[in-house]
Amino acid sequence: MRQQHKQTNKKTKKKLISLFFILVLCTNCGTYISNIPEVKAVNETHTGVVWNVTVDPLTNWTFRATKVNSYDITTNLDLQLKVENYFNFTLTSDTSAFLSFNIVNNSLDKEDTFWRNTSKGELKEIHFKVNCFGSDNVPKDIRVIIESVNEFPQHFNDSFPKIIKVNENTNNDTSVLSIFPYLIDSDIPTPQLKDFTYTVKTSNVQNDATPWFYIPIASSDNLRVKASPDFDQLHKNNISILTLIVVVKANDESGFEINTTLQIEIVDVDDLPPSFQYPGCQNNCSVTPYEAYTGPSWRGPIKVQPTDIIAKDQDSLGSSIKYSIKKSPNNYHSSFEIDQSTGAITQIGDVLTVNVLTIVATEDTANGFSQSATLLIRLSNDSSYLPETSKVKDDSSKLRLIVIVVGAISLVIIGILIFLVIFVYKRTKKKMTVVPKEQSPNTTVEDLVSDRPSTVDEKVNNWKQTIDPMQWPTVTSRRQQLDPLHLRDESTETEESSIKKKRPRKKKKKLMEIFDGTKQYDGKADIEFYMEQNKKKIKRSTKSKNKRPETGPLFVKSD
């Protein structure tokens, strides 16, 4: 019993001692915990003590991480422990102890992957609960705000244009480039347009672009046109690309500054009319005095002096040119026409007076800029003023006529020669000779007629000896006529079956002689017949061989 009583007294003493300490701690915790700041801001690069608080060394403290930004992590013990490991919450054991809250090893870097994933973006704040041991204490929420630090300098991305094109007729104060979209900054949060200052400066070269381009407001990233550059003027100075330097500077305490070279190509546009290419004229001549000589009735091209009519686009675009003749009040232009492509002038009508034509050169573009020139038409009969091409055409036409005449004469001569050959051939055609069918071609007519027999029987016998018996003529026709002899043409070595019969000539009918005074006949007139008063002689009107019987005298009364 005594031992149990002793043990009970010991337990009671321990409880009383514990209750005493608890009463002391609870009394002191409320005072100390109120000294801890609820909000504390630190840079993301800060290391070491966040805050220190003097407390009783006999007090006991705890802290727990509860939120990252607005996300509760108390349900995820593993994540909660990882967050708490980035901090150090300690109490010194001195008589005047310090409660310290420290950041370990630059662990609040916003660019750190852990914090980016835990905060689901940018790490802005971390929440804790701090507690002092006691029965009546109240846990206190504290918040650490993490402020961004510009750790990394900005730079231009690969898409930044090294050269841009600007038309020469761009209006003043027109924006040609925005710079901020081409900036990259690895810091979190991503810098904004207002976080930088934008300027341009000269490149210290001949093609400096700052006289034509500028950034009017440093807080704006717009590169604008200060004065429209003239492409044609720059081209005369052999300049087509301008250059300037773009400068971007961070506005924070880091003061990071970067720059890059930007080239600006000035693009030519159709803003100038064409210009006639005239000796001594340098672009856009107001008066271009062309002249040409022609004849009143000339038809064809005319020669323009001192040079051909040629116009060119003053812009570098090289637009094609169309030519035309402006209508004149007196319709003088109707005697001429112009080639739209070449500008060549052709006379198509009579020209009786000296006058002036207006030649118009128009660009074949949407703007259709045009320029005019004058052409003075003079009259002259001198062919030297005609264009060389006309003379060549005249010579060629004469040569063509000569060739035609010579060809026609040649055809006539050839025709005559052919006619003569045919005529001579017909007149000199060799006679056909009688040649036995099987006779040697070397046998001549002299051989056949030598020792000519005197009698008919001898002739027949001789022919029978020379002619094959199979070739002897026999009586075959009804008129008891012999077969025709075989005839052979010695000139052509061909045979004919029979001799061609000559056609008898037809006798021309003589016309009756009519002596009624309507026709004229050769011979002398019978004057005695007409002079006799009593005519007993008969005058016949025809000269027929068969004389008509006399029917009596014909009496013609003479007047």
Side-chain angles (χ1 to χ4, degrees):
M1 292 292 294
R2 287 181 179 179
Q3 290 179 353
Q4 290 179 356
H5 181 72
K6 287 180 180 180
Q7 291 177 358
T8 302
N9 289 335
K10 289 181 180 180
K11 291 179 180 180
T12 302
K13 287 180 181 180
K14 289 180 179 180
K15 288 179 180 181
L16 291 174
I17 293 172
S18 300
L19 180 59
F20 173 79
F21 283 106
I22 291 173
L23 290 174
V24 172
L25 292 174
C26 288
T27 301
N28 294 330
C29 279
T31 301
Y32 299 139
I33 203 169
S34 63
N35 295 331
I36 297 175
E38 294 184 359
V39 178
K40 185 66 176 180
V42 294
N43 292 333
E44 60 174 320
T45 57
H46 179 79
T47 58
V49 177
V50 176
W51 44 255
N52 286 324
V53 177
T54 302
V55 297
D56 190 327
L58 298 179
T59 56
N60 204 355
W61 299 83
T62 61
F63 82 101
R64 304 293 295 178
T66 57
K67 290 182 181 179
V68 174
N69 293 346
S70 59
Y71 303 106
D72 187 3
I73 61 174
T74 57
T75 57
N76 189 339
L77 296 178
D78 182 59
L79 180 60
Q80 189 179 31
L81 290 174
K82 289 181 179 179
V83 171
E84 292 173 356
N85 287 335
Y86 281 87
F87 299 88
N88 186 9
F89 196 79
T90 60
L91 178 65
T92 61
S93 58
D94 297 337
T95 54
S96 57
F98 287 97
L99 181 63
S100 297
F101 185 58
N102 301 316
I103 300 174
V104 182
N105 298 329
N106 196 24
S107 58
L108 300 185
D109 188 3
K110 291 188 176 185
E111 290 75 31
D112 186 87
T113 304
F114 171 76
W115 291 118
R116 293 179 63 180
N117 293 335
T118 304
S119 63
K120 298 181 181 180
E122 177 192 356
L123 177 62
K124 296 180 179 181
E125 58 186 20
I126 303 174
H127 294 253
F128 297 91
K129 272 192 176 182
V130 179
N131 196 4
C132 176
F133 282 107
S135 60
D136 59 347
N137 67 306
V138 177
K140 186 173 185 178
D141 291 327
I142 63 172
R143 183 162 53 103
V144 178
I145 297 176
I146 296 92
E147 295 179 343
S148 299
V149 175
N150 190 3
E151 303 175 74
F152 308 98
Q154 66 279 8
H155 62 277
F156 294 101
N157 61 22
D158 295 336
S159 300
F160 183 83
K162 298 300 180 181
I163 184 171
I164 61 174
K165 295 183 178 182
V166 179
N167 292 338
E168 63 170 332
N169 61 347
T170 304
N171 295 330
N172 292 348
D173 207 36
T174 300
S175 176
V176 296
L177 179 67
S178 294
I179 300 172
F180 178 73
Y182 298 101
L183 291 178
I184 293 179
D185 195 319
S186 300
D187 289 301
I188 296 178
T190 303
Q192 302 300 310
L193 174 68
K194 60 182 179 59
D195 296 329
F196 302 100
T197 299
Y198 310 88
T199 56
V200 294
K201 63 182 181 180
T202 179
S203 58
N204 294 322
V205 293
Q206 182 182 2
N207 57 342
D208 180 29
T210 54
W212 292 278
F213 299 92
Y214 74 131
I215 297 178
I217 303 175
S219 60
S220 172
D221 69 329
N222 288 325
L223 179 65
R224 296 180 179 273
V225 176
K226 185 177 181 180
S228 298
D230 186 359
F231 174 88
D232 305 285
Q233 187 63 36
L234 292 174
H235 190 69
K236 289 181 181 179
N237 298 327
N238 296 322
I239 298 175
S240 59
I241 297 178
L242 302 175
T243 305
L244 54 76
I245 297 175
V246 177
V247 181
V248 179
K249 183 178 181 180
N251 291 333
D252 58 18
E253 59 187 13
S254 67
F256 291 130
E257 180 178 302
I258 60 171
N259 61 73
T260 185
T261 300
L262 176 66
Q263 292 182 325
I264 304 174
E265 180 182 355
I266 307 304
V267 179
D268 191 14
V269 298
D270 183 23
D271 60 348
L272 295 176
S275 174
F276 286 93
Q277 304 301 297
Y278 189 84
C281 172
Q282 299 295 330
N283 291 334
N284 197 17
C285 296
S286 57
V287 178
T288 310
Y290 292 104
E291 64 178 13
Y293 288 85
T294 185
S297 59
W298 168 251
R299 298 293 186 274
I302 61 176
K303 184 179 180 181
V304 179
Q305 296 178 346
T307 182
D308 294 336
I309 296 177
I310 299 176
K312 291 185 178 180
D313 184 6
Q314 294 188 77
D315 298 306
S316 64
L317 305 177
S319 302
S320 60
I321 307 297
K322 289 185 177 180
Y323 301 92
S324 61
I325 300 177
K326 187 178 180 180
K327 293 182 179 181
S328 55
N330 56 1
N331 210 30
Y332 189 77
H333 69 281
S334 61
S335 297
F336 301 90
E337 65 179 12
I338 188 169
D339 190 303
Q340 289 188 356
S341 301
T342 64
I345 304 293
T346 303
Q347 183 174 334
I348 59 175
D350 293 339
V351 178
L352 304 179
T353 60
V354 176
N355 213 324
V356 175
L357 294 177
T358 301
I359 309 301
V360 181
T362 306
E363 292 179 354
D364 190 12
T365 60
N367 293 328
F369 292 120
S370 62
Q371 185 65 276
S372 300
T374 58
L375 173 60
L376 176 62
I377 302 297
R378 300 180 182 271
L379 296 179
S380 175
N381 293 324
D382 188 357
S383 62
S384 63
Y385 291 108
L386 298 178
E388 296 296 331
T389 54
S390 301
K391 298 178 183 179
V392 172
K393 289 182 179 178
D394 292 342
D395 295 340
S396 61
S397 61
K398 292 179 181 179
L399 180 62
R400 190 181 302 110
L401 180 60
I402 293 173
V403 171
I404 292 174
V405 172
V406 172
I409 295 174
S410 301
L411 290 175
V412 172
I413 294 174
I414 293 173
I416 294 173
L417 291 176
I418 293 174
F419 175 77
L420 291 175
V421 170
I422 295 174
F423 179 77
V424 172
Y425 173 75
K426 288 184 178 181
R427 293 293 303 269
T428 59
K429 185 177 181 182
K430 294 182 179 180
K431 296 181 180 181
M432 307 298 293
T433 57
V434 180
V435 180
K437 202 169 190 180
E438 298 298 329
Q439 185 177 344
S440 172
N442 297 325
T443 304
T444 63
V445 177
E446 290 77 3
D447 296 336
L448 295 176
V449 299
S450 63
D451 300 331
R452 180 176 294 174
S454 59
T455 63
V456 176
D457 293 337
E458 290 178 354
K459 292 180 179 180
V460 173
N461 290 332
N462 288 339
W463 279 105
K464 287 183 178 180
Q465 291 176 3
T466 59
I467 300 175
D468 187 2
M470 298 300 294
Q471 303 293 332
W472 289 352
T474 58
V475 178
T476 58
S477 62
R478 294 180 181 180
R479 298 181 181 181
Q480 299 300 315
Q481 294 180 351
L482 296 175
D483 291 334
L485 295 176
H486 294 284
L487 302 180
R488 186 177 184 84
D489 188 349
E490 293 181 352
S491 63
T492 61
E493 298 298 332
T494 58
E495 296 180 357
E496 295 184 1
S497 61
S498 61
I499 300 175
K500 295 181 180 179
K501 295 182 180 181
K502 294 184 178 180
R503 295 180 180 178
R505 295 182 178 178
K506 293 182 181 181
K507 295 181 179 181
K508 296 182 179 179
K509 294 181 180 182
K510 293 184 178 180
L511 299 175
M512 296 177 64
E513 296 179 354
I514 303 173
F515 301 95
D516 55 1
T518 61
K519 293 186 179 182
Q520 183 178 355
Y521 297 92
D522 296 335
K524 296 181 179 180
D526 191 354
I527 300 175
E528 296 178 357
F529 176 76
Y530 290 101
M531 297 297 294
E532 292 179 357
Q533 294 182 354
N534 296 323
K535 295 182 176 63
K536 295 181 181 180
K537 189 176 180 179
I538 299 174
K539 181 64 178 178
R540 302 183 184 278
S541 60
T542 61
K543 293 183 180 182
S544 175
K545 293 181 180 180
N546 300 325
K547 297 182 179 180
R548 295 172 57 187
E550 297 182 0
T551 58
L554 176 63
F555 298 95
V556 179
K557 186 177 181 178
S558 301
D559 296 334

